[in-house]
């Protein structure tokens, strides 16, 4: 520690970490939190980014103040630039159960779409191997990769067809729909025909099967009673969507 550090409260990284309790202070004078946010924005060290990201994990009253602070925090993190900001953002996306949408929005500003998809795939792979109570992060990530043609997505998404949350299953089905990924056929048909599968999930499975052009071979007798408009079974045993 240098002489200047004695008067400023420590080095940049140390000072940044000491400000975290103020940044995540939900109650009390908002000016204290806002001053800490501004101080972090002027530090330009990765630790400051990590602490700033923690602001996205809580909501304060009034909601207008919360929204303003988060937008200001977003702009401050973005101002750090790719080299400094992206590594802590990636770590935050991997380890935090909250605020995934803010992390993805920042990555969208600081990196290419391919790099953002890479981050999503990595985070989803981590989630599929680790228990998490809150399904929101999975849904956010799955929605982000939906529509992408990246070949890494289908094998990463298939395990989420067995998730406890119906919202996660539906998001996974939406992400899989654009691919004709044969290894997904059997898990989708098992999900469709399982006794405990909710009707809204079954409808999403039918949509994904139709979009993927999959046959229901081996499951026809179980699938036919589950067909609802606008879905029907063609002569080739493939789910069709009526016009």
């Amino acid at each position: 520690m240098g002489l200047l550090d004695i008067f400023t409260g420590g080095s940049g990284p140390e000072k940044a970490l000491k400000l975290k309790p103020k940044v995540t202070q939900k109650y009390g004078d908002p000016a204290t939190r806002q001053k800490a946010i501004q101080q972090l924005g002027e530090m330009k060290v990765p630790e400051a980014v990590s602490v700033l990201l923690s602001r996205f994990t809580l909501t304060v009253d009034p909601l207008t103040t919360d929204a303003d602070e988060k937008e200001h925090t977003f702009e401050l993190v973005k101002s750090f630039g790719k080299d400094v900001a992206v590594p802590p953002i990636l770590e935050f996306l991997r380890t935090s159960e909250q605020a995934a949408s803010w992390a993805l929005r920042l990555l969208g500003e600081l990196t290419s779409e391919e790099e953002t998809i890479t981050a999503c795939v990595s985070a989803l792979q981590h989630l599929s191997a680790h228990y998490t109570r809150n399904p929101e992060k999975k849904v956010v990530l799955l929605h982000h990769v939906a529509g992408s043609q990246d070949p890494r997505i289908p094998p990463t998404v298939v395990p989420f067809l067995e998730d406890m949350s119906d919202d996660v299953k539906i998001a996974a089905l939406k992400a899989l729909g654009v691919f004709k990924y044969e290894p997904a056929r059997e898990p989708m048909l098992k999900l469709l025909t399982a006794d405990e599968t909710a009707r809204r999930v079954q409808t999403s499975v039918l949509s994904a099967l139709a979009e993927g052009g999959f046959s229901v071979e081996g499951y026809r007798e179980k699938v036919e009673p589950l067909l609802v408009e606008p879905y029907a079974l063609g002569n080739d045993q493939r789910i069709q969507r009526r016009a």
Side-chain angles (χ1 to χ4, degrees), residues 47-129:
E47 291 80 5
V49 175
S50 298
V51 177
L52 283 168
L53 291 170
S54 67
R55 175 60 186 87
F56 297 123
T57 66
L58 71 148
T59 301
V60 302
D61 292 322
L63 292 180
T64 51
T65 297
D66 184 70
D68 288 345
E69 283 185 18
K70 284 176 176 172
E71 286 298 333
H72 182 51
T73 302
F74 176 87
E75 293 299 327
L76 288 175
V77 172
K78 195 170 71 169
S79 73
F80 279 69
K82 180 177 180 178
D83 291 344
V84 175
V86 169
I89 293 171
L90 292 175
E91 178 65 13
F92 177 83
L93 183 63
R94 191 182 72 84
T95 59
S96 175
E97 289 193 17
Q98 300 168 285
S101 58
W102 284 99
L104 291 175
R105 185 179 160 195
L106 282 162
L107 289 174
E109 292 281 344
L110 293 166
T111 70
S112 67
E113 179 61 19
E114 182 180 357
E115 289 171 305
T116 303
I117 293 295
T118 296
C120 288
V121 168
S122 176
L124 286 167
Q125 289 170 341
H126 180 79
L127 283 170
S128 68

Side-chain angles (χ1 to χ4, degrees), residues 110-238:
L110 293 166
T111 70
S112 67
E113 179 61 19
E114 182 180 357
E115 289 171 305
T116 303
I117 293 295
T118 296
C120 288
V121 168
S122 176
L124 286 167
Q125 289 170 341
H126 180 79
L127 283 170
S128 68
H130 296 82
Y131 172 76
T132 176
R133 279 188 312 175
N134 187 354
E136 181 184 357
K137 181 179 179 180
K138 300 175 188 177
V139 173
V140 168
L141 290 165
L142 289 166
H143 281 168
H144 193 88
V145 300
S148 171
Q149 298 290 336
D150 194 299
R152 297 170 295 175
I153 292 172
T156 301
V157 169
V158 166
F160 293 97
L161 296 178
E162 298 180 5
D163 197 86
M164 296 291 291
S165 165
D166 285 349
D167 288 339
V168 171
K169 292 171 186 170
I170 291 169
L173 288 161
K174 184 177 180 182
L176 285 168
V178 299
F179 295 93
K180 299 185 185 301
Y181 184 64
E182 182 61 30
R185 186 188 84 94
E186 190 88 10
M188 285 197 286
L189 287 167
K190 286 182 178 179
L191 177 59
L192 174 64
T193 57
D195 292 338
E196 67 274 13
T197 300
R199 170 55 66 182
R200 67 192 186 103
V201 176
Q202 290 177 331
T203 302
S204 294
V205 177
L206 291 172
S207 176
L209 288 168
E211 191 171 359
F214 291 120
S215 165
V216 302
E217 183 179 356
Y219 288 81
R220 180 166 186 158
E221 290 185 2
K222 292 182 178 180
V223 169
E224 283 184 317
L226 301 174
L227 293 171
V228 294
E229 291 292 342
Y231 302 103
L233 201 58
N235 294 332
D236 58 357
Q237 296 196 65
R238 299 179 190 279

